[in-house]
Coordinates of all heavy atoms in Angstrom, one line a residue:
M1 N 0.8 -1.2 0.0 CA 0.0 0.0 0.0 C 0.9 1.3 0.0 O 1.9 1.3 0.6 CB -0.9 0.0 1.2 CG -2.0 -1.1 1.3 SD -3.2 -0.5 2.4 CE -4.6 -1.0 1.4
Q2 N 0.4 2.2 -0.7 CA 1.1 3.5 -0.8 C 0.5 4.6 0.1 O -0.7 4.5 0.4 CB 1.1 4.0 -2.3 CG 1.9 3.1 -3.2 CD 3.3 3.4 -3.0 OE1 3.8 4.5 -2.8 NE2 4.1 2.4 -3.2
R3 N 1.2 5.5 0.5 CA 0.7 6.7 1.2 C 0.4 7.8 0.2 O 1.2 8.1 -0.7 CB 1.7 7.2 2.2 CG 1.9 6.1 3.3 CD 2.4 6.7 4.6 NE 1.7 7.8 5.2 CZ 0.5 7.7 5.8 NH1 -0.1 6.6 5.9 NH2 0.0 8.8 6.3
Y4 N -0.7 8.5 0.4 CA -1.2 9.5 -0.5 C -1.6 10.7 0.3 O -2.0 10.6 1.4 CB -2.3 9.1 -1.4 CG -2.0 8.0 -2.4 CD1 -2.2 6.7 -2.1 CD2 -1.5 8.4 -3.6 CE1 -1.9 5.7 -3.0 CE2 -1.1 7.4 -4.5 CZ -1.4 6.0 -4.2 OH -1.0 5.1 -5.1
E5 N -1.5 11.9 -0.4 CA -2.0 13.1 0.2 C -2.9 13.8 -0.9 O -2.5 14.0 -2.0 CB -0.9 14.1 0.5 CG -1.4 15.4 1.0 CD -0.2 16.4 1.3 OE1 0.7 16.0 2.1 OE2 -0.2 17.5 0.7
A6 N -4.1 14.0 -0.5 CA -5.1 14.7 -1.4 C -5.4 16.1 -0.8 O -5.7 16.2 0.4 CB -6.4 13.9 -1.5
M7 N -5.3 17.1 -1.6 CA -5.5 18.5 -1.2 C -6.6 19.0 -2.1 O -6.5 18.9 -3.3 CB -4.2 19.4 -1.3 CG -4.5 20.8 -0.9 SD -4.6 21.1 0.8 CE -3.0 21.1 1.3
Y8 N -7.6 19.7 -1.6 CA -8.7 20.3 -2.4 C -9.1 21.6 -1.8 O -9.0 21.8 -0.6 CB -9.8 19.3 -2.6 CG -10.5 18.8 -1.4 CD1 -11.7 19.4 -1.0 CD2 -10.1 17.7 -0.7 CE1 -12.4 18.9 0.1 CE2 -10.7 17.1 0.4 CZ -11.9 17.8 0.8 OH -12.6 17.3 1.9
I9 N -9.6 22.5 -2.7 CA -10.0 23.8 -2.3 C -11.5 23.9 -2.6 O -12.0 23.7 -3.7 CB -9.3 24.9 -3.1 CG1 -7.8 24.7 -2.9 CG2 -9.7 26.3 -2.6 CD1 -7.0 25.6 -3.8
L10 N -12.3 24.3 -1.5 CA -13.7 24.4 -1.7 C -14.1 26.0 -1.7 O -13.3 26.8 -1.3 CB -14.4 23.8 -0.4 CG -14.3 22.4 -0.2 CD1 -14.8 22.0 1.1 CD2 -14.9 21.6 -1.3
R11 N -15.3 26.2 -2.3 CA -15.7 27.6 -2.5 C -15.8 28.3 -1.0 O -16.2 27.7 -0.1 CB -17.1 27.7 -3.1 CG -17.1 27.2 -4.5 CD -18.5 27.3 -5.0 NE -18.6 26.8 -6.4 CZ -18.1 27.4 -7.4 NH1 -17.6 28.6 -7.3 NH2 -18.2 26.8 -8.6
P12 N -15.4 29.5 -1.0 CA -15.4 30.2 0.3 C -16.8 30.6 0.8 O -16.9 31.0 2.0 CB -14.6 31.5 0.1 CG -14.7 31.7 -1.4 CD -14.9 30.4 -2.0
T13 N -17.8 30.5 0.0 CA -19.1 31.0 0.3 C -20.0 29.9 1.0 O -21.1 30.1 1.3 CB -19.9 31.5 -0.9 OG1 -19.9 30.4 -1.9 CG2 -19.2 32.7 -1.5
L14 N -19.4 28.7 1.2 CA -20.1 27.6 1.8 C -20.5 27.9 3.3 O -19.7 28.4 4.0 CB -19.3 26.3 1.8 CG -18.9 25.8 0.4 CD1 -18.1 24.5 0.6 CD2 -20.1 25.4 -0.4
T15 N -21.7 27.4 3.7 CA -22.1 27.5 5.0 C -21.4 26.4 5.9 O -20.8 25.5 5.2 CB -23.6 27.4 5.2 OG1 -24.0 26.1 4.9 CG2 -24.3 28.5 4.5
E16 N -21.4 26.5 7.1 CA -20.8 25.4 7.9 C -21.4 24.0 7.7 O -20.6 23.1 7.6 CB -20.9 25.7 9.4 CG -20.1 24.9 10.4 CD -18.6 25.1 10.1 OE1 -18.1 26.2 9.8 OE2 -17.9 24.0 10.2
E17 N -22.7 24.0 7.5 CA -23.3 22.7 7.1 C -22.9 22.1 5.8 O -22.6 20.9 5.6 CB -24.8 22.8 7.2 CG -25.4 23.1 8.6 CD -25.3 24.6 8.9 OE1 -25.3 25.4 8.0 OE2 -25.3 24.9 10.1
E18 N -22.8 23.0 4.8 CA -22.4 22.6 3.4 C -20.9 22.2 3.5 O -20.6 21.2 2.8 CB -22.6 23.8 2.5 CG -24.0 24.1 2.2 CD -24.2 25.4 1.4 OE1 -23.3 26.3 1.5 OE2 -25.1 25.4 0.6
L19 N -20.1 22.9 4.2 CA -18.7 22.5 4.3 C -18.6 21.1 5.0 O -17.8 20.3 4.4 CB -18.0 23.6 5.2 CG -16.5 23.2 5.5 CD1 -15.6 23.2 4.3 CD2 -16.0 24.3 6.5
E20 N -19.3 20.9 6.0 CA -19.2 19.6 6.7 C -19.7 18.5 5.8 O -19.1 17.4 5.8 CB -20.1 19.7 8.0 CG -19.9 18.5 8.9 CD -18.5 18.5 9.5 OE1 -17.9 19.6 9.8 OE2 -18.0 17.4 9.8
A21 N -20.8 18.7 5.0 CA -21.3 17.7 4.1 C -20.3 17.4 3.0 O -20.1 16.2 2.7 CB -22.6 18.2 3.5
A22 N -19.6 18.4 2.5 CA -18.6 18.2 1.4 C -17.4 17.4 1.9 O -17.0 16.4 1.3 CB -18.2 19.5 0.9
V23 N -16.9 17.7 3.1 CA -15.8 17.0 3.7 C -16.2 15.6 4.0 O -15.4 14.6 3.7 CB -15.3 17.7 5.0 CG1 -14.3 16.9 5.7 CG2 -14.7 19.1 4.6
N24 N -17.4 15.4 4.5 CA -17.8 14.0 4.8 C -18.0 13.2 3.6 O -17.8 12.0 3.6 CB -19.1 14.0 5.6 CG -19.0 14.5 7.1 OD1 -17.9 14.4 7.6 ND2 -20.0 15.0 7.7
L25 N -18.5 13.8 2.5 CA -18.7 13.1 1.2 C -17.3 12.5 0.7 O -17.3 11.3 0.4 CB -19.2 14.0 0.2 CG -19.3 13.5 -1.3 CD1 -20.4 12.4 -1.4 CD2 -19.5 14.5 -2.3
F26 N -16.3 13.3 0.7 CA -15.0 12.8 0.3 C -14.4 11.8 1.2 O -13.7 10.8 0.8 CB -14.1 14.0 0.0 CG -14.6 14.9 -1.1 CD1 -14.7 16.3 -0.8 CD2 -15.0 14.5 -2.3 CE1 -15.3 17.1 -1.8 CE2 -15.5 15.3 -3.2 CZ -15.7 16.6 -3.0
E27 N -14.6 12.0 2.5 CA -14.1 11.1 3.5 C -14.8 9.7 3.4 O -14.1 8.7 3.4 CB -14.4 11.7 4.9 CG -13.7 10.9 6.0 CD -13.9 11.6 7.4 OE1 -14.1 12.9 7.4 OE2 -13.8 10.9 8.4
Q28 N -16.1 9.8 3.2 CA -16.8 8.5 3.0 C -16.5 7.8 1.7 O -16.4 6.6 1.6 CB -18.3 8.8 3.0 CG -19.0 8.8 4.4 CD -18.6 7.6 5.2 OE1 -18.0 7.8 6.2 NE2 -19.0 6.4 4.8
T29 N -16.2 8.6 0.6 CA -15.7 8.0 -0.6 C -14.4 7.2 -0.4 O -14.4 6.0 -0.9 CB -15.4 9.1 -1.6 OG1 -16.6 9.9 -1.9 CG2 -14.9 8.5 -3.0
L30 N -13.5 7.7 0.4 CA -12.3 6.9 0.7 C -12.6 5.7 1.6 O -12.1 4.6 1.4 CB -11.3 7.8 1.3 CG -10.6 8.8 0.3 CD1 -9.6 9.7 1.1 CD2 -9.9 8.1 -0.7
R31 N -13.4 6.0 2.7 CA -13.7 4.9 3.6 C -14.4 3.7 2.9 O -14.2 2.6 3.3 CB -14.5 5.4 4.8 CG -13.7 6.3 5.7 CD -14.4 6.5 7.1 NE -13.7 7.5 7.8 CZ -12.6 7.3 8.5 NH1 -12.0 6.2 8.6 NH2 -12.1 8.3 9.2
N32 N -15.3 4.0 2.0 CA -16.0 3.0 1.3 C -15.1 2.1 0.4 O -15.4 1.0 0.1 CB -17.1 3.6 0.4 CG -18.2 4.1 1.3 OD1 -18.4 3.8 2.4 ND2 -19.1 5.0 0.6
Q33 N -14.0 2.7 0.0 CA -13.0 2.0 -0.8 C -12.0 1.2 0.0 O -11.1 0.5 -0.5 CB -12.3 3.0 -1.7 CG -13.1 3.7 -2.7 CD -13.7 2.8 -3.7 OE1 -13.1 1.9 -4.2 NE2 -15.0 3.0 -4.0
G34 N -12.1 1.4 1.4 CA -11.2 0.6 2.3 C -9.8 1.1 2.5 O -8.9 0.4 2.7
V35 N -9.7 2.5 2.6 CA -8.4 3.1 2.9 C -8.1 2.8 4.4 O -8.9 2.6 5.2 CB -8.4 4.6 2.6 CG1 -8.7 4.9 1.2 CG2 -9.3 5.4 3.5
E36 N -6.8 2.9 4.7 CA -6.3 2.8 6.0 C -5.7 4.1 6.5 O -5.2 4.9 5.7 CB -5.2 1.7 6.1 CG -5.8 0.4 5.7 CD -4.7 -0.7 5.7 OE1 -3.6 -0.4 6.1 OE2 -5.0 -1.8 5.3
E37 N -5.7 4.4 7.8 CA -5.1 5.6 8.4 C -5.5 6.9 7.7 O -4.7 7.7 7.3 CB -3.6 5.4 8.3 CG -3.0 4.2 9.0 CD -1.5 4.1 8.9 OE1 -0.9 5.1 8.7 OE2 -1.0 3.0 9.0
L38 N -6.8 7.1 7.7 CA -7.3 8.4 7.1 C -7.2 9.5 8.0 O -7.7 9.4 9.2 CB -8.7 8.2 6.6 CG -9.4 9.4 6.0 CD1 -8.7 9.9 4.8 CD2 -10.9 9.1 5.7
L39 N -6.6 10.6 7.7 CA -6.4 11.8 8.5 C -6.9 12.9 7.7 O -6.4 13.2 6.6 CB -5.0 12.0 8.9 CG -4.6 13.3 9.6 CD1 -5.3 13.3 11.0 CD2 -3.2 13.5 9.7
V40 N -7.9 13.7 8.2 CA -8.5 14.8 7.5 C -8.1 16.1 8.3 O -8.4 16.1 9.5 CB -10.0 14.7 7.4 CG1 -10.6 15.9 6.7 CG2 -10.4 13.4 6.6
E41 N -7.5 17.0 7.6 CA -7.1 18.3 8.3 C -7.7 19.4 7.5 O -7.5 19.6 6.4 CB -5.6 18.3 8.3 CG -5.1 19.4 9.2 CD -3.6 19.4 9.4 OE1 -3.0 18.3 9.1 OE2 -3.0 20.4 9.6
R42 N -8.5 20.3 8.3 CA -9.0 21.5 7.7 C -8.0 22.6 7.9 O -7.6 23.0 9.0 CB -10.3 21.8 8.3 CG -11.4 20.9 8.1 CD -12.7 21.2 8.7 NE -13.7 20.4 8.3 CZ -14.2 19.4 9.0 NH1 -13.8 19.1 10.2 NH2 -15.2 18.6 8.5
R43 N -7.5 23.2 6.7 CA -6.5 24.2 6.8 C -7.1 25.6 6.9 O -6.4 26.6 7.1 CB -5.6 24.2 5.5 CG -4.9 22.9 5.4 CD -3.7 22.9 6.4 NE -2.9 21.7 6.2 CZ -1.7 21.7 6.8 NH1 -1.2 22.6 7.5 NH2 -1.0 20.6 6.6
G44 N -8.4 25.7 6.7 CA -9.1 27.0 6.8 C -9.2 27.8 5.5 O -8.7 27.4 4.5
K45 N -9.8 29.0 5.7 CA -10.0 29.9 4.5 C -8.7 30.7 4.3 O -8.2 31.3 5.2 CB -11.1 30.8 4.8 CG -11.5 31.6 3.5 CD -12.7 32.6 3.8 CE -14.0 31.8 4.1 NZ -15.1 32.8 4.1
R46 N -8.2 30.7 3.0 CA -7.0 31.4 2.7 C -7.1 32.1 1.4 O -7.9 31.7 0.5 CB -5.8 30.4 2.6 CG -5.5 29.7 3.9 CD -4.4 28.8 3.7 NE -4.1 28.1 5.0 CZ -3.0 27.7 5.4 NH1 -1.9 27.8 4.7 NH2 -2.9 27.0 6.6
R47 N -6.4 33.1 1.2 CA -6.3 33.8 -0.1 C -5.6 33.0 -1.1 O -4.6 32.4 -0.9 CB -5.6 35.2 0.1 CG -5.7 36.0 -1.1 CD -5.2 37.5 -0.7 NE -5.1 38.3 -1.9 CZ -6.2 38.8 -2.5 NH1 -7.4 38.6 -2.0 NH2 -6.0 39.6 -3.6
L48 N -6.2 32.9 -2.3 CA -5.7 32.2 -3.4 C -4.6 33.0 -4.2 O -4.6 34.2 -4.1 CB -6.8 31.8 -4.4 CG -7.9 31.0 -3.9 CD1 -9.0 30.9 -5.0 CD2 -7.5 29.6 -3.6
A49 N -3.6 32.3 -4.7 CA -2.6 32.9 -5.5 C -3.1 33.7 -6.6 O -2.6 34.7 -7.1 CB -1.5 31.9 -5.9
Y50 N -4.2 33.1 -7.3 CA -4.8 33.8 -8.4 C -6.3 33.4 -8.4 O -6.7 32.5 -7.7 CB -4.2 33.3 -9.8 CG -4.2 31.8 -9.9 CD1 -5.3 31.1 -10.5 CD2 -3.1 31.0 -9.4 CE1 -5.3 29.7 -10.6 CE2 -3.1 29.6 -9.6 CZ -4.1 29.0 -10.2 OH -4.2 27.7 -10.3
E51 N -7.1 34.2 -9.0 CA -8.5 34.0 -9.0 C -9.0 32.7 -9.7 O -8.5 32.4 -10.8 CB -9.2 35.2 -9.7 CG -10.4 35.7 -9.1 CD -11.0 37.0 -9.6 OE1 -11.8 36.9 -10.6 OE2 -10.6 38.0 -9.2
I52 N -9.8 32.0 -9.1 CA -10.4 30.7 -9.7 C -11.9 30.8 -9.7 O -12.5 31.0 -8.6 CB -10.0 29.5 -8.8 CG1 -8.5 29.4 -8.7 CG2 -10.5 28.2 -9.5 CD1 -8.0 28.3 -7.8
Q53 N -12.4 30.9 -10.9 CA -13.9 31.0 -11.0 C -14.5 32.2 -10.2 O -15.4 32.1 -9.5 CB -14.6 29.7 -10.6 CG -14.2 28.5 -11.4 CD -14.8 27.2 -10.9 OE1 -15.6 27.2 -10.0 NE2 -14.4 26.1 -11.4
K54 N -13.8 33.3 -10.4 CA -14.2 34.6 -9.7 C -14.1 34.5 -8.2 O -14.7 35.3 -7.5 CB -15.6 35.0 -10.2 CG -15.6 35.3 -11.7 CD -16.9 35.8 -12.1 CE -16.8 36.0 -13.6 NZ -18.1 36.5 -14.1
N55 N -13.4 33.6 -7.6 CA -13.1 33.5 -6.2 C -11.7 33.9 -5.9 O -10.8 33.4 -6.5 CB -13.4 32.0 -5.7 CG -14.8 31.7 -5.7 OD1 -15.7 32.2 -5.1 ND2 -15.1 30.8 -6.7
K56 N -11.6 34.7 -4.9 CA -10.2 35.2 -4.4 C -9.8 34.4 -3.2 O -8.6 34.5 -2.8 CB -10.2 36.7 -4.2 CG -10.5 37.5 -5.4 CD -10.4 38.9 -5.2 CE -10.7 39.7 -6.5 NZ -10.6 41.1 -6.3
E57 N -10.7 33.7 -2.6 CA -10.3 32.9 -1.4 C -10.9 31.5 -1.6 O -11.7 31.2 -2.5 CB -10.9 33.5 -0.1 CG -10.4 34.8 0.3 CD -11.0 35.3 1.6 OE1 -12.2 35.1 1.8 OE2 -10.3 36.0 2.4
G58 N -10.4 30.6 -0.7 CA -10.9 29.2 -0.8 C -10.6 28.5 0.5 O -9.8 29.0 1.4
I59 N -11.4 27.5 0.8 CA -11.3 26.7 2.1 C -10.4 25.5 1.7 O -10.9 24.6 0.9 CB -12.6 26.3 2.6 CG1 -13.4 27.5 2.9 CG2 -12.5 25.4 3.9 CD1 -14.9 27.3 3.2
Y60 N -9.3 25.4 2.3 CA -8.3 24.3 2.0 C -8.6 23.1 2.9 O -8.7 23.3 4.2 CB -6.9 24.8 2.2 CG -6.4 25.6 1.1 CD1 -6.9 26.9 0.9 CD2 -5.4 25.2 0.2 CE1 -6.4 27.8 0.0 CE2 -5.0 26.0 -0.8 CZ -5.4 27.3 -0.9 OH -5.0 28.1 -1.9
I61 N -8.6 21.9 2.3 CA -8.8 20.6 3.1 C -7.7 19.6 2.7 O -7.4 19.6 1.4 CB -10.2 20.0 2.9 CG1 -11.3 21.0 3.0 CG2 -10.3 18.8 3.7 CD1 -11.6 21.5 4.4
Q62 N -7.0 19.1 3.6 CA -6.0 18.1 3.3 C -6.4 16.7 3.8 O -6.8 16.6 5.0 CB -4.7 18.6 3.9 CG -3.5 17.6 3.7 CD -2.3 18.1 4.4 OE1 -2.2 19.3 4.8 NE2 -1.3 17.2 4.6
M63 N -6.2 15.7 3.1 CA -6.5 14.3 3.5 C -5.2 13.5 3.3 O -4.7 13.5 2.2 CB -7.6 13.7 2.7 CG -8.9 14.4 3.0 SD -10.4 13.5 2.4 CE -10.0 13.3 0.6
N64 N -4.7 12.8 4.3 CA -3.6 11.9 4.2 C -4.1 10.4 4.4 O -4.9 10.3 5.4 CB -2.5 12.1 5.2 CG -1.9 13.5 5.0 OD1 -2.5 14.5 5.2 ND2 -0.7 13.5 4.4
Y65 N -3.7 9.5 3.6 CA -4.3 8.1 3.7 C -3.3 7.1 3.1 O -2.4 7.5 2.4 CB -5.7 8.1 3.1 CG -5.8 8.4 1.7 CD1 -5.7 7.5 0.7 CD2 -5.9 9.8 1.3 CE1 -5.7 7.9 -0.7 CE2 -6.0 10.2 0.0 CZ -5.9 9.2 -1.0 OH -6.0 9.6 -2.3
Q66 N -3.6 5.9 3.4 CA -2.8 4.8 2.9 C -3.8 3.9 2.1 O -4.8 3.5 2.6 CB -2.2 4.0 4.0 CG -1.2 3.0 3.6 CD -0.4 2.4 4.8 OE1 -0.6 2.8 5.9 NE2 0.4 1.4 4.5
A67 N -3.4 3.6 0.8 CA -4.4 2.9 -0.1 C -3.7 2.4 -1.3 O -2.5 2.7 -1.5 CB -5.5 3.8 -0.5
N68 N -4.4 1.6 -2.1 CA -3.9 1.2 -3.4 C -4.2 2.2 -4.4 O -5.2 3.0 -4.3 CB -4.6 -0.1 -3.8 CG -4.1 -1.3 -2.9 OD1 -3.0 -1.4 -2.5 ND2 -5.0 -2.2 -2.6
G69 N -3.5 2.3 -5.5 CA -3.7 3.2 -6.6 C -5.1 3.4 -7.2 O -5.5 4.5 -7.4
P70 N -5.8 2.3 -7.5 CA -7.1 2.5 -8.1 C -8.2 3.2 -7.3 O -9.1 3.8 -7.9 CB -7.5 1.0 -8.3 CG -6.3 0.2 -8.3 CD -5.4 0.9 -7.4
I71 N -7.9 3.3 -6.0 CA -8.9 4.1 -5.2 C -8.8 5.5 -5.5 O -9.9 6.2 -5.5 CB -8.5 3.9 -3.7 CG1 -8.9 2.5 -3.3 CG2 -9.2 4.9 -2.8 CD1 -8.4 2.1 -1.9
N72 N -7.7 6.0 -6.0 CA -7.6 7.5 -6.3 C -8.5 7.9 -7.5 O -9.0 9.0 -7.5 CB -6.2 7.8 -6.6 CG -5.3 7.8 -5.4 OD1 -5.8 8.1 -4.3 ND2 -4.1 7.4 -5.5
S73 N -8.7 7.0 -8.4 CA -9.6 7.3 -9.6 C -11.0 7.6 -9.1 O -11.7 8.5 -9.6 CB -9.6 6.2 -10.6 OG -10.1 5.0 -10.1
E74 N -11.5 6.9 -8.1 CA -12.8 7.1 -7.6 C -13.0 8.5 -6.8 O -13.9 9.2 -7.0 CB -13.3 6.0 -6.6 CG -14.7 6.0 -6.1 CD -15.7 5.9 -7.3 OE1 -15.4 5.1 -8.2 OE2 -16.8 6.5 -7.2
L75 N -11.9 8.8 -6.1 CA -11.8 10.1 -5.4 C -11.7 11.2 -6.4 O -12.4 12.2 -6.3 CB -10.6 10.1 -4.4 CG -10.4 11.4 -3.6 CD1 -11.7 11.7 -2.7 CD2 -9.2 11.3 -2.8
E76 N -10.9 11.0 -7.4 CA -10.8 12.0 -8.5 C -12.1 12.3 -9.2 O -12.4 13.4 -9.4 CB -9.8 11.5 -9.5 CG -9.3 12.4 -10.6 CD -8.1 13.3 -10.1 OE1 -7.3 12.9 -9.3 OE2 -8.1 14.4 -10.6
R77 N -12.9 11.3 -9.4 CA -14.2 11.4 -10.0 C -15.1 12.2 -9.1 O -15.9 13.1 -9.6 CB -14.8 10.0 -10.3 CG -16.1 10.0 -10.9 CD -16.6 8.6 -11.2 NE -17.9 8.6 -11.8 CZ -19.1 8.6 -11.1 NH1 -19.0 8.6 -9.8 NH2 -20.2 8.6 -11.8
A78 N -15.1 11.9 -7.8 CA -15.9 12.6 -6.9 C -15.6 14.1 -6.8 O -16.4 15.0 -6.8 CB -15.8 12.0 -5.5
F79 N -14.3 14.4 -6.9 CA -13.8 15.9 -6.9 C -14.4 16.6 -8.2 O -14.9 17.7 -8.1 CB -12.3 15.9 -6.9 CG -11.7 15.7 -5.6 CD1 -10.4 15.0 -5.5 CD2 -12.3 16.1 -4.4 CE1 -9.8 14.9 -4.3 CE2 -11.7 15.9 -3.2 CZ -10.4 15.3 -3.1
R80 N -14.3 15.9 -9.3 CA -14.7 16.5 -10.6 C -16.2 16.8 -10.7 O -16.6 17.8 -11.3 CB -14.2 15.7 -11.8 CG -12.8 15.8 -12.1 CD -12.5 15.2 -13.5 NE -13.1 13.9 -13.7 CZ -12.5 12.7 -13.5 NH1 -11.3 12.7 -13.1 NH2 -13.1 11.6 -13.7
L81 N -16.9 15.9 -10.1 CA -18.4 16.0 -10.1 C -19.0 17.0 -9.1 O -20.2 17.4 -9.3 CB -19.1 14.6 -9.9 CG -18.8 13.6 -11.0 CD1 -19.4 12.2 -10.6 CD2 -19.4 14.1 -12.3
N82 N -18.3 17.4 -8.1 CA -18.8 18.2 -7.1 C -18.5 19.7 -7.5 O -17.4 20.1 -7.7 CB -18.1 17.9 -5.8 CG -18.8 18.5 -4.6 OD1 -19.1 19.7 -4.6 ND2 -19.0 17.7 -3.5
E83 N -19.5 20.5 -7.6 CA -19.4 21.9 -8.0 C -18.8 22.8 -6.9 O -18.4 23.9 -7.2 CB -20.8 22.5 -8.3 CG -21.4 21.8 -9.6 CD -22.7 22.3 -10.0 OE1 -23.2 23.2 -9.2 OE2 -23.3 21.9 -11.0
Q84 N -18.7 22.3 -5.7 CA -18.1 23.1 -4.6 C -16.6 23.1 -4.7 O -16.0 23.9 -4.0 CB -18.7 22.6 -3.3 CG -20.2 22.8 -3.2 CD -20.7 22.1 -2.0 OE1 -20.1 21.2 -1.4 NE2 -21.9 22.5 -1.6
V85 N -16.0 22.2 -5.3 CA -14.6 22.0 -5.4 C -14.0 23.0 -6.5 O -14.4 22.8 -7.7 CB -14.1 20.6 -5.7 CG1 -12.6 20.5 -5.8 CG2 -14.7 19.7 -4.6
L86 N -13.1 23.9 -6.1 CA -12.5 24.8 -7.0 C -11.3 24.1 -7.7 O -11.1 24.2 -8.9 CB -12.0 26.0 -6.3 CG -13.1 26.9 -5.7 CD1 -12.5 28.1 -5.0 CD2 -14.1 27.4 -6.8
R87 N -10.4 23.5 -6.9 CA -9.2 22.8 -7.4 C -9.0 21.5 -6.5 O -9.3 21.6 -5.3 CB -8.0 23.7 -7.3 CG -7.9 24.7 -8.3 CD -7.5 24.2 -9.7 NE -7.2 25.3 -10.6 CZ -8.1 25.8 -11.4 NH1 -9.4 25.5 -11.4 NH2 -7.8 26.8 -12.3
H88 N -8.3 20.6 -7.1 CA -7.9 19.4 -6.3 C -6.6 18.8 -6.9 O -6.3 19.0 -8.0 CB -9.0 18.4 -6.3 CG -9.3 17.7 -7.6 ND1 -10.1 18.3 -8.6 CD2 -8.8 16.6 -8.2 CE1 -10.1 17.6 -9.7 NE2 -9.3 16.5 -9.5
S89 N -5.9 18.1 -6.0 CA -4.7 17.3 -6.5 C -4.4 16.2 -5.5 O -4.7 16.3 -4.3 CB -3.5 18.3 -6.6 OG -3.3 18.9 -5.5
I90 N -3.9 15.1 -6.1 CA -3.6 14.0 -5.3 C -2.1 13.7 -5.5 O -1.7 13.6 -6.7 CB -4.4 12.8 -5.6 CG1 -5.9 13.0 -5.4 CG2 -4.0 11.5 -4.8 CD1 -6.8 12.0 -5.9
F91 N -1.3 13.5 -4.4 CA 0.1 13.3 -4.5 C 0.5 11.9 -3.8 O -0.2 11.6 -2.8 CB 0.9 14.3 -3.8 CG 0.6 15.7 -4.3 CD1 -0.2 16.6 -3.6 CD2 1.2 16.2 -5.4 CE1 -0.5 17.8 -4.1 CE2 0.9 17.5 -5.9 CZ 0.0 18.3 -5.2
R92 N 1.4 11.2 -4.3 CA 1.9 10.0 -3.7 C 3.1 10.5 -2.8 O 4.1 11.1 -3.3 CB 2.4 9.0 -4.7 CG 2.7 7.7 -4.0 CD 3.1 6.6 -5.0 NE 4.5 6.9 -5.3 CZ 5.1 6.5 -6.3 NH1 4.5 5.8 -7.3 NH2 6.4 6.9 -6.6
E93 N 3.1 10.1 -1.6 CA 4.2 10.5 -0.7 C 5.3 9.4 -0.8 O 5.1 8.3 -1.0 CB 3.7 10.5 0.8 CG 2.7 11.5 1.1 CD 2.2 11.5 2.5 OE1 2.7 10.6 3.3 OE2 1.3 12.3 2.8
E94 N 6.5 10.0 -0.9 CA 7.7 9.1 -1.0 C 8.0 8.5 0.4 O 7.9 9.2 1.4 CB 8.9 9.9 -1.5 CG 8.7 10.5 -3.0 CD 8.5 9.3 -4.0 OE1 9.2 8.3 -3.9 OE2 7.7 9.5 -4.9
P95 N 8.4 7.2 0.3 CA 8.8 6.6 1.6 C 10.0 7.2 2.3 O 10.8 7.8 1.7 CB 9.0 5.1 1.3 CG 9.2 5.1 -0.2 CD 8.6 6.3 -0.8

């Protein structure tokens, strides 16, 4: 199993309930695929380096987990289908 880090940016206009629902959706996507050692860290609202879809700020969320590679395609799909996600990226951590 490999260690991965997924970072995504959500719209800054989300209410607390919408934010919680979005984070839980991506967390459940990973848990349903059988990941191990899932750690979700909310980095908070920060100013973006450049404007994305007319947003100057975004809410940063980081997830660290241990899984097999095919699981990432399901998470990637969930990110693309969710309109609240401004940007996302998944990195493999080096041992």
Side-chain angles (χ1 to χ4, degrees):
M1 294 200 134
Q2 292 286 325
R3 295 203 49 78
Y4 293 95
E5 176 181 306
M7 178 73 82
Y8 57 99
I9 305 171
L10 297 172
R11 294 185 184 281
T13 56
L14 296 179
T15 65
E16 191 61 38
E17 294 81 25
E18 291 171 329
L19 173 64
E20 194 65 36
V23 172
N24 287 338
L25 171 72
F26 300 124
E27 188 175 337
Q28 276 307 117
T29 301
L30 287 177
R31 289 197 191 280
N32 290 342
Q33 299 295 320
V35 302
E36 297 177 8
E37 300 178 26
L38 176 62
L39 172 68
V40 178
E41 189 172 339
R42 293 182 171 103
R43 297 286 185 166
K45 189 183 289 189
R46 297 180 184 209
R47 185 165 175 79
L48 300 172
Y50 55 90
E51 219 173 89
I52 302 173
Q53 299 175 7
K54 299 185 181 178
N55 291 292
K56 295 182 180 183
E57 292 182 328
I59 302 170
Y60 285 71
I61 310 291
Q62 176 183 345
M63 296 190 304
N64 295 74
Y65 56 95
Q66 189 171 355
N68 292 323
I71 289 174
N72 290 326
S73 61
E74 188 63 34
L75 181 61
E76 190 82 33
R77 181 178 179 275
F79 284 144
R80 282 194 314 266
L81 292 176
N82 195 314
E83 293 178 359
Q84 298 169 341
V85 176
L86 298 176
R87 287 283 189 272
H88 67 276
S89 55
I90 300 173
F91 306 99
R92 189 180 78 199
E93 295 179 1
E94 295 297 323

